[in-house]
Amino acid sequence: MHEQQDTVTRRRVFYIPGYDPIHPRRYRELYRKEGSAQAEISGYEIGLKPRKFNGNYGWHVDAVIDGTEVDADVEVLVWSDIVRDSMATSIPATYLQLVRTAWVYIATGALGRLMKLRKGPIIAALYPVGMLLVQLLLAVLLALAVFTWGFRAMDWAMQAAMGPHMLGPLFGLRLILWGALALVAAVWLMRWFKKQDGKFFAYYLMHDYAFSAASRGANPAALEARMAVFADSIAASLRSEVDEVLVVGHSSGAHLAVSILSDLIRAGRVPGDGPQLAFLSLGQVVPMVSFLPDAHRLRGDLRFLGKTDALTWVDVTAPGDGCAFALCDPVAVSGVAPEGQRWPLVLSAAFTQTLSAARWKELRWRFFRLHFQYLCAFDRPGDYDYFQITAGPQLLSDRYAGRAPSKSRIVAAVSKYTTVAA
């Protein structure tokens, strides 16, 4: 960390999304829209131009903040194809995922320990289980209604047309006919629910939690390979003529960033005379993975990154975000805090203070939108401003130099599993 305030004029930003199957252009449009809004509120200038980096989606930012012109290149490190592949399952396969995922979290004791941290993300984790079971129940009830009503209606019609003596001989035929129609009705309703998942998010969230639970916290091979590619991109930027290389990990992207950065530093790929390296984790859900028994790599990387002097790590969450483990120090709660722990600096985005009463009222129950608020404009901004951090003239280390961590942060070691990779 620099002892004096250094002015940033050029920055490389690497954004690692969470478990998101959507094309990365949504992040550029979000940055453009929300950056413009924040610039108007806070009195600075910011503009975007499209750009690609080695095939990765990104954009160039021209900003004038505090009288300083800053150029920033933002690159999205894309793993949405891996996400889409993991979501390409049938309805029965999703319900099998539900059973397996619930078993992993319950049988390992992870769920019980996670409940000691924050209620919000646990409710978010239980929501897809409950919603999928409700959908299945409604499908069963529809099938029963179709079968019962159809069977009885056909009985009445046959008695009226042919007399009661024909009911017995045709019983099996009626049973097969209305049983098949009942099954068709149930399947139709289940498919309808899946098509409407953009409103319910039940399948999406189930696939999200199942992705980590399937390997009990270890990274799938395809993801490890992609993370190595990400590391190469970041390493190349650390040899470029910029003032700061900033890695932003949002939601599930935060724990990917932890491992990627740990790999880079261990491998000696962070030059001492190069750009400042900074890590901003936003809305992290690290405990959902680090509390699982086979998350040895992640826990080891958390311990390593928690003490390194090769970067600055600031972790921003907010109690108003029900999908994140708000103000939970991801290193400490995972039970791997090293002696002399330095990072992360845990800060609150304090939605109830940084958003006006009217804006908070508008967003309060939009849980998934609030999970992305860290990337958006605040109409009563405090010292957290995503656009000043990514396109402003201050290093992340300078911006929060001397800043005390949130008084409400949770640092108790809660995880049952604390073993780390060798």
Side-chain angles (χ1 to χ4, degrees), residues 138-139 142-143 146-147 179-191:
L138 290 175
L142 176 62
V146 168
F147 180 82
L181 290 173
L183 180 60
V184 168
V187 170
W188 171 84
L189 185 58
M190 293 297 289
R191 288 179 174 175

Side-chain angles (χ1 to χ4, degrees), residues 24-319:
R25 74 169 61 91
R26 70 176 288 190
Y27 295 109
R28 188 191 75 181
E29 289 307 301
L30 185 67
Y31 195 103
R32 180 191 60 77
K33 177 184 175 183
E34 297 294 331
S36 177
Q38 191 67 70
E40 184 175 350
I41 292 167
S42 301
Y44 52 78
E45 300 175 27
I46 194 166
L48 271 65
K49 297 176 184 176
R51 188 168 178 180
K52 283 196 173 184
F53 308 90
N54 300 318
N56 277 333
Y57 200 87
W59 57 92
H60 178 78
V61 183
D62 292 309
V64 180
I65 298 177
D66 294 334
T68 302
E69 294 183 3
V70 181
D71 292 333
D73 286 318
V74 183
E75 179 177 347
V76 181
L77 299 180
V78 179
W79 60 293
S80 55
D81 56 321
I82 296 175
V83 173
R84 286 193 296 272
D85 288 345
S86 74
M87 295 177 68
T89 58
S90 64
I91 293 174
T94 300
Y95 278 86
L96 183 59
Q97 278 187 341
L98 185 158
V99 174
R100 289 175 174 170
T101 302
W103 172 252
V104 168
Y105 276 101
I106 294 172
T108 62
L111 181 62
R113 291 179 178 270
L114 288 168
M115 292 175 69
K116 297 178 180 180
L117 295 177
R118 291 286 184 183
K119 294 179 181 179
I122 300 306
I123 293 172
L126 294 176
Y127 165 79
V129 175
M131 179 57 76
L132 287 172
L133 291 177
V134 166
Q135 292 178 9
L136 180 61
L137 176 61
L138 290 175
V140 170
L141 291 175
L142 176 62
L144 288 174
V146 168
F147 180 82
T148 303
W149 179 86
F151 199 86
R152 289 179 178 175
M154 194 171 184
D155 273 2
W156 177 83
M158 287 180 63
Q159 287 187 62
M162 296 180 288
H165 64 282
M166 292 299 296
L167 296 180
L170 295 177
F171 176 81
L173 179 62
R174 298 188 338 263
L175 190 67
I176 293 172
L177 173 63
W178 287 104
L181 290 173
L183 180 60
V184 168
V187 170
W188 171 84
L189 185 58
M190 293 297 289
R191 288 179 174 175
W192 182 86
F193 277 128
K194 188 173 183 180
K195 288 180 180 179
Q196 300 299 314
D197 202 57
K199 299 177 182 177
F200 298 124
F201 297 103
Y203 282 85
Y204 165 72
L205 286 172
M206 191 69 257
H207 295 315
D208 187 355
Y209 297 122
F211 186 75
S212 297
S215 52
R216 292 161 54 95
N219 291 326
L223 184 57
E224 280 286 354
R226 188 64 53 85
M227 289 163 63
V229 174
F230 293 168
D232 289 341
S233 296
I234 298 169
S237 73
L238 288 166
R239 298 190 299 270
S240 65
E241 297 295 322
V242 298
D243 303 305
E244 182 179 56
V245 172
L246 172 65
V247 177
V248 179
H250 176 243
S251 193
S252 299
H255 72 257
L256 301 189
V258 166
S259 292
I260 292 166
L261 290 168
S262 294
D263 288 349
L264 283 171
I265 297 168
R266 286 196 194 99
R269 303 177 77 184
V270 180
D273 57 351
Q276 285 283 293
L277 178 60
F279 174 31
L280 177 67
S281 52
L282 302 173
Q284 55 89 5
V285 291
V286 169
M288 287 299 296
V289 182
S290 66
F291 278 37
L292 292 172
D294 293 344
H296 312 291
R297 166 161 162 62
L298 176 57
R299 287 191 292 268
D301 295 337
L302 285 166
R303 171 176 286 178
F304 175 80
L305 214 62
K307 195 173 182 179
T308 184
D309 59 1
L311 54 61
T312 296
W313 176 9
V314 177
D315 179 68
V316 180
T317 51

Side-chain angles (χ1 to χ4, degrees), residues 9-21:
T9 58
R10 289 172 296 179
R11 177 184 284 111
R12 282 297 304 274
V13 180
F14 293 90
Y15 175 76
I16 306 178
Y19 186 87
D20 189 349

Side-chain angles (χ1 to χ4, degrees), residues 314-365:
V314 177
D315 179 68
V316 180
T317 51
D321 174 13
C323 297
F325 282 90
L327 306 182
C328 294
D329 181 322
V331 176
V333 300
S334 299
V336 292
E339 185 177 350
Q341 179 185 351
R342 298 182 62 181
W343 310 115
L345 172 61
V346 177
L347 303 177
S348 176
F351 292 166
T352 57
Q353 300 172 35
T354 52
L355 295 170
S356 64
R359 185 64 173 150
W360 174 242
K361 183 178 180 181
E362 180 185 349
L363 296 176
R364 185 174 184 180
W365 303 111

